């Protein structure tokens, strides 16, 4: 299609519009800017029909991104990070192969986003509850049970929600699959929140070393991961006596168990210190 300035062979003047040659006669009428034209009106009506509504493109992009995250979560959980191909993820999401690079930049960043969208809300709630613990302590050391509940309860709330089972399985894979990216991912997700809880436990349990507190917190993590990973199979493992029907009750049991272990660690630590001091005096 050729274009020329309207006004025929007499030449163009400032303010004339470019119009398709086919829309004019050989020396078609000149149409100044702002004048009505059947052709222009036709184009405007066509544009109104085909132009996406405001925000439609953004909504489609957001929908594709969510579909990629959901598909990646399932496939990472089923096949592991190494066994999950970007082609399988995009096909499951109904997206093209370039969508991962467009939305996330790389497979590693996709894994980060899959984990972060589940864990970051948990960590925010943990920190909020921990601040509540400190306010309740009114300047004193926080109660051990309150600190532990702030750490544990948001995890069990996640499990009680919809659509998280693939993520629980993925969490198990992250601990069992040799994944070079895991230390970096773990630091990005947990460094701040872990440090805050270790500080609170140190106040609640004076005398325990930082190393012992690290051990105790890791044992707490391992303890609450077991029933989550077992899921419905926990019923079969326990002669149908233990279920996950009431996650608040499970969290309470976890808190009591962990608090007993932490107090026992402090007692053992104090006894060990006393024995070492007594041995030093005898020497």
């Amino acid at each position: 299609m050729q274009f020329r300035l309207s006004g025929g062979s007499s030449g163009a003047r400032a303010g004339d519009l470019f119009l398709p040659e086919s829309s004019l006669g050989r020396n078609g009428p000149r149409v100044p800017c702002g004048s009505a034209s059947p052709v222009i009106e036709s184009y405007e009506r066509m544009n109104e029909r085909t132009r996406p509504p405001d925000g439609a493109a953004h909504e489609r992009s957001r929908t594709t991104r969510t579909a990629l995250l959901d598909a990646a979560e399932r496939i990472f959980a089923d096949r592991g990070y190494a066994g999950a191909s970007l082609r399988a993820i995009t096909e499951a999401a109904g997206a093209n192969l370039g969508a991962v690079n467009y939305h996330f930049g790389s497979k590693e960043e996709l894994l980060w986003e899959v984990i972060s969208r589940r864990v970051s809300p948990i960590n925010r709630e943990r920190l909020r509850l921990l601040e509540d613990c400190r306010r309740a302590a009114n300047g004193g050391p926080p109660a051990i049970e309150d600190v532990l509940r702030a750490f544990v309860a948001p995890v069990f709330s996640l499990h009680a929600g919809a659509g998280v089972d693939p993520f629980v399985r993925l969490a198990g894979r992250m601990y069992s699959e040799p994944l070079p990216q895991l230390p970096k991912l773990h630091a990005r997700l947990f460094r701040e929140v872990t440090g805050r809880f270790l500080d609170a436990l140190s106040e609640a349990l004076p005398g325990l070393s930082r190393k012992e507190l690290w051990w105790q917190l890791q044992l707490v993590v391992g303890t609450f991961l077991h029933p989550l990973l077992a899921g419905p199979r926990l019923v079969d493992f326990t002669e149908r006596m233990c279920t996950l029907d009431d996650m608040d009750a499970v969290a309470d049991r976890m808190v009591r168990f962990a608090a007993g272990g932490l107090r026992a660690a402090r007692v053992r630590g104090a006894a060990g210190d006393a024995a070492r001091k007594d041995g030093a005096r005898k020497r």
Side-chain angles (χ1 to χ4, degrees):
M1 179 182 290
Q2 297 180 348
F3 289 81
R4 68 178 175 83
L5 280 168
S6 64
S9 58
S10 60
R13 296 194 306 173
D16 287 350
L17 280 176
F18 280 87
L19 290 175
E21 182 80 30
S22 61
S23 71
L24 303 170
R26 179 172 178 176
N27 290 308
R30 178 168 54 84
V31 184
C33 282
S35 297
S37 161
V39 176
I40 295 174
E41 290 175 354
S42 175
Y43 286 166
E44 288 177 346
R45 286 195 300 270
M46 179 180 70
N47 288 339
E48 287 300 321
R49 287 195 304 270
T50 59
R51 184 184 300 123
D54 291 344
H58 174 74
E59 181 62 23
R60 286 196 299 271
S61 178
R62 189 183 67 83
T63 299
T64 298
R65 190 176 189 277
T66 301
L68 287 167
L69 289 170
D70 290 342
E73 184 176 86
R74 291 192 306 271
I75 293 173
F76 283 147
D78 292 340
R79 307 181 189 179
Y81 179 78
S85 70
L86 293 183
R87 183 175 297 278
I89 290 169
T90 52
E91 286 179 356
N96 63 61
L97 192 56
V100 169
N101 284 332
Y102 175 79
H103 287 280
F104 306 103
S106 67
K107 183 180 177 181
E108 182 175 329
E109 282 301 306
L110 173 60
L111 176 65
W112 156 256
E113 291 289 346
V114 165
I115 298 173
S116 177
R117 71 166 178 165
R118 300 294 191 192
V119 173
S120 293
I122 291 175
N123 284 342
R124 286 193 295 269
E125 181 65 5
R126 282 169 160 170
L127 294 177
R128 186 190 70 79
L129 293 173
L130 185 60
E131 287 305 308
D132 289 347
C133 293
R134 292 191 176 282
R135 282 193 292 271
N138 197 27
I144 298 172
E145 285 81 1
D146 290 346
V147 174
L148 290 171
R149 188 169 287 104
F151 188 75
V152 168
V155 180
F156 287 98
S157 296
L158 168 78
H159 187 70
V164 299
D165 284 345
F167 179 72
V168 173
R169 291 188 287 111
L170 175 59
R173 275 193 175 274
M174 293 298 97
Y175 281 93
S176 60
E177 182 177 309
L179 186 65
Q181 297 91 339
L182 184 58
K184 182 171 69 173
L185 291 172
H186 194 277
R188 288 174 69 183
L189 285 167
F190 296 111
R191 177 174 290 161
E192 178 188 359
V193 70
T194 302
R196 298 270 291 274
F197 273 89
L198 287 171
D199 291 343
L201 287 173
S202 180
E203 296 171 28
L205 297 160
L208 280 184
S209 67
R210 194 75 168 184
K211 179 179 179 180
E212 185 61 31
L213 288 171
W214 264 114
W215 264 114
Q216 294 298 319
L217 196 59
Q218 292 306 297
L219 292 172
V220 170
V221 171
T223 304
F224 72 61
L225 276 178
H226 171 70
L228 292 179
L229 290 172
R233 292 172 294 181
L234 190 66
V235 176
D236 301 322
F237 296 164
T238 60
E239 298 179 344
R240 310 193 70 78
M241 293 185 182
C242 300
T243 71
L244 300 179
D245 295 337
D246 186 346
M247 298 306 289
D248 289 338
V250 176
D252 286 342
R253 284 190 173 89
M254 174 67 60
V255 167
R256 292 196 300 271
F257 178 81
L262 283 163
R263 288 192 173 93
R266 184 172 62 176
V267 170
R268 288 195 303 273
D273 289 342
R276 283 190 292 274
K277 289 178 182 178
D278 186 58
R281 283 196 299 269
K282 289 180 179 178
R283 286 196 298 270

